[in-house]
């Protein structure tokens, strides 16, 4: 019986950590107000979730290459060209894809995340707000907005 205990315990911990990493979209919706001060969620010109004008549109962010959102790259009425650092674009060019896990990790400490990802202590994203809790929930909420 003790031979089975360790593998069962490891499997149980792995499954519970995966469930915790998945996040809760309903909780994320309630916590999203912190993000909406900079970010809106807009699909085909329709504002789904109102937000600020200083961050990229988060519609379809899960699965997107970092730094490639159209307004982010090309500017728009919402976002003037040149508002963003090249480090996020560089991270995308180096392969950073926004997954729920990456969004949750990034949201906890954006500067550290991008510095580690790029292996560059001078790298800086535009976002500096650190979410102390709920980042996995917010990532799960953002995953509900996509094609």
């Amino acid at each position: 019986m003790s031979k089975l205990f360790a593998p069962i315990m490891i499997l149980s911990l792995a499954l519970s950590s995966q469930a915790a990493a998945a996040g809760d979209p309903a909780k994320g919706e309630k916590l999203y107000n912190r993000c909406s001060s900079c970010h809106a969620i807009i699909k085909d010109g329709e504002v789904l979730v109102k937000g600020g004008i200083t961050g990229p549109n988060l519609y379809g962010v899960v699965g997107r290459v970092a730094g490639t959102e159209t307004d982010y790259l090309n500017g728009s009425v919402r976002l003037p060209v040149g508002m963003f650092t090249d480090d996020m674009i560089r991270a995308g060019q180096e392969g950073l894809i926004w997954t729920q896990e990456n969004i949750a990790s990034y949201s906890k400490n954006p500067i550290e995340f991008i510095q580690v990802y790029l292996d560059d202590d001078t790298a800086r994203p535009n976002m500096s707000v650190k979410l102390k809790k709920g980042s996995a929930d917010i990532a799960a909420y953002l995953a509900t907005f996509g094609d």
Side-chain angles (χ1 to χ4, degrees), residues 12 14 22 59 63 87 92 94 114 122 138 141:
S12 174
Y59 182 83
D87 290 327
E94 292 190 20
I114 214 70
T122 66
I138 291 170
Y141 174 63

Side-chain angles (χ1 to χ4, degrees), residues 58-66 68 95-103 139 142-143 145-147:
L58 293 180
Y59 182 83
V61 67
V62 175
R64 181 190 304 153
V65 175
T68 62
L96 178 58
I97 306 277
W98 289 122
T99 62
Q100 286 187 54
E101 293 79 13
N102 284 343
I103 291 168
L142 292 173
F145 295 96
D147 296 322

Side-chain angles (χ1 to χ4, degrees), residues 32-49:
Y32 183 76
N33 65 330
R34 188 120 189 245
C35 307
S36 65
S37 60
C38 297
H39 299 275
I41 301 176
I42 304 167
K43 179 184 181 187
D44 300 328
E46 179 186 351
V47 178
L48 304 176
V49 180

Side-chain angles (χ1 to χ4, degrees), residues 48-103:
L48 304 176
V49 180
K50 289 182 180 180
I53 62 169
T54 59
N57 176 10
L58 293 180
Y59 182 83
V61 67
V62 175
R64 181 190 304 153
V65 175
T68 62
E69 192 268 334
T70 304
D71 292 347
Y72 187 96
L73 283 176
N74 306 318
S76 70
V77 173
R78 241 185 107 252
L79 297 171
V81 173
M83 280 191 70
F84 298 105
T85 66
D86 291 335
D87 290 327
M88 189 58 71
I89 295 168
R90 183 166 55 112
Q93 291 169 341
E94 292 190 20
L96 178 58
I97 306 277
W98 289 122
T99 62
Q100 286 187 54
E101 293 79 13
N102 284 343
I103 291 168

